[in-house]
Amino acid sequence: MDDTTIIDLYWARSEQALHETELKYGAYCRAIARNILKNPEDTEECVSDTYLAAWNAIPPKRPRRLGAFLAAITRNISVS
């Protein structure tokens, strides 16, 4: 599924957005978190927190590049 469609699902408040985000960007977000945290349990918690943060941020934000948006959230959560 393309990013625009996934973002539209977030705007519609459809839980399908989270499922599609996991399918498309789950491995990417895990790789970012794993490289920072070096712990599998913390990595999974960080990815879950990333999805929650994306859910809370979209709307009102409409990211142009969903992958970069999720990467930034994941990095920020991982280092804090």
Side-chain angles (χ1 to χ4, degrees):
M1 183 175 288
D2 68 20
D3 288 356
T4 303
T5 306
I6 296 171
I7 292 168
D8 289 342
L9 289 170
Y10 277 102
W11 275 81
R13 306 312 286 167
S14 171
E15 290 183 21
Q16 184 69 23
L18 299 172
H19 176 72
E20 296 298 334
T21 300
E22 169 61 25
L23 288 177
K24 188 165 185 182
Y25 291 108
Y28 179 55
C29 291
R30 274 185 198 79
I32 293 167
R34 186 175 43 252
N35 286 334
I36 295 169
L37 298 169
K38 311 287 190 220
N39 180 295
E41 292 83 13
D42 290 344
T43 295
E44 288 305 314
E45 184 175 345
C46 177
V47 172
S48 293
D49 290 348
T50 296
Y51 297 155
L52 178 61
W55 181 264
N56 290 331
I58 307 170
K61 294 182 182 177
R62 185 177 278 276
R64 286 194 227 208
R65 294 179 42 211
L66 185 57
F69 182 75
L70 295 169
I73 292 171
T74 305
R75 277 191 306 270
N76 289 339
I77 291 171
S78 295
V79 298
S80 60

